[in-house]
Amino acid sequence: QQPVQSPQAVILREGEDAVINCSSSKALYSVHWYRQKHGEAPVFLMILLKGGEQKGHEKISASFNEKKQQSSLYLTASQLSYSGTYFCGTDPDRDDKIIFGKGTRLHILP
Amino acid sequence: DAGITQSPRHKVTETGTPVTLRCHQTENHRYMYWYRQDPGHGLRLIHYSYGVKDTDKGEVSDGYSVSRSKTEDFLLTLESATSSQTSVYFCAISEGGVGWTQYFGPGTRLLVL
């Protein structure tokens, strides 16, 4: 049931764009995105709901393809502060439990 | 920041000893969760609670038990700690419902020798 994230890691230079993908083997009703910096707790970025409603971060966007059971997180004109590990989470059984992927490590170089 | 605290923040213990981790919230949220985080595995759900005295198992519940006697407190107990339970443990809370958001506590680093 664990969603699969790709890539596992990515290195960018400041100002470049990044895309992080999340796919599920089960139907998606919601996708949650979090970012975690080293030694800190995960922090909520965004939630995408079935039907297209999106709630979350002002400088990061995401898409949600219900048919393909996929979501993608878009970070445009990346900043040094974007470095960290990004996790997607799904709630496949619609019981208010998030199952997280293994994460994507993003490193931004100056 | 959501009002979530975890105690202790760091703990070293020996194999076979019982360990209890505490999560305390001041948000009056209905749902509380315990996750463990290990390199290469991401965040894995151990147990969760959907109300006082209402709990259920997550993905990796073997060797762990939980209790919730008050809305604000969710305890995670390792009855007999093993080295494989060395990890970082995060508590999380949420209100539940459509569009719900989960907030994480600062984490507890547990080392079992």
Side-chain angles (χ1 to χ4, degrees), chain B residues 1 9 15 23 31 38 40 42 57 60-61 64 76 78 80 87 94 96 112-113:
Chain B
D1 290 343
R9 294 291 314 278
T15 298
C23 177
Y31 292 85
D38 307 287
K57 296 178 179 180
V60 289
S61 59
Y64 302 95
L76 177 71
L78 292 66
S80 177
S87 186
S94 80
V112 183
L113 299 175

Side-chain angles (χ1 to χ4, degrees), chain A residues 24 26-32 47-53 64-66 69 89-95, chain B residues 98-100:
Chain A
S24 173
K26 300 186 75 172
L28 290 178
Y29 302 99
S30 64
V31 178
H32 306 242
I47 180 172
L48 299 104
L49 304 174
K50 186 175 182 179
E53 183 181 356
F64 183 11
N65 187 320
E66 297 163 25
Q69 298 173 183
T90 61
D91 182 12
D93 297 324
R94 305 180 74 178
D95 55 359
Chain B
V98 178
W100 55 278

Side-chain angles (χ1 to χ4, degrees), chain B:
Chain B
D1 290 343
I4 313 169
T5 57
Q6 293 184 229
S7 59
R9 294 291 314 278
H10 302 271
K11 186 170 183 67
V12 180
T13 191
E14 293 185 350
T15 298
T17 59
V19 176
T20 295
L21 308 182
R22 180 182 183 235
C23 177
H24 178 79
Q25 61 149 329
T26 58
E27 305 295 323
N28 200 36
H29 282 358
R30 177 183 176 190
Y31 292 85
M32 298 185 76
Y33 311 80
W34 277 109
Y35 290 89
R36 61 176 289 173
Q37 185 171 37
D38 307 287
H41 292 278
L43 292 153
R44 293 183 291 175
L45 182 65
I46 305 172
H47 281 281
Y48 72 107
S49 169
Y50 46 95
V52 173
K53 296 186 180 180
D54 293 322
T55 65
D56 204 351
K57 296 178 179 180
E59 307 163 83
V60 289
S61 59
D62 288 347
Y64 302 95
S65 62
V66 290
S67 66
R68 191 173 179 195
S69 59
K70 298 185 291 185
T71 299
E72 58 266 34
D73 290 324
F74 192 32
L75 303 180
L76 177 71
T77 297
L78 292 66
E79 301 290 346
S80 177
T82 67
S83 58
S84 64
Q85 293 176 311
T86 291
S87 186
V88 179
Y89 291 86
F90 286 102
C91 173
I93 64 173
S94 80
E95 292 180 300
V98 178
W100 55 278
T101 301
Q102 204 168 80
Y103 299 98
F104 284 84
T108 294
R109 290 187 174 273
L110 176 66
L111 174 60
V112 183
L113 299 175

Side-chain angles (χ1 to χ4, degrees), chain A residues 13-59:
Chain A
R13 292 211 173 270
E14 196 173 10
E16 293 181 336
D17 300 340
V19 180
I20 300 172
N21 301 303
C22 175
S23 64
S24 173
S25 60
K26 300 186 75 172
L28 290 178
Y29 302 99
S30 64
V31 178
H32 306 242
W33 286 97
Y34 287 77
R35 178 172 62 207
Q36 183 180 32
K37 294 189 177 289
H38 183 69
E40 299 180 6
V43 174
F44 171 77
L45 287 177
M46 186 170 303
I47 180 172
L48 299 104
L49 304 174
K50 186 175 182 179
E53 183 181 356
Q54 174 180 307
K55 298 166 62 174
H57 203 277
E58 60 182 14
K59 295 185 178 181

Side-chain angles (χ1 to χ4, degrees), chain A residues 10 12 16-20 61 73-78 82 106 108:
Chain A
V10 60
L12 297 174
E16 293 181 336
D17 300 340
V19 180
I20 300 172
S61 62
L73 186 71
Y74 304 96
L75 300 93
T76 55
S78 58
Y82 287 3
L106 176 65
I108 309 296

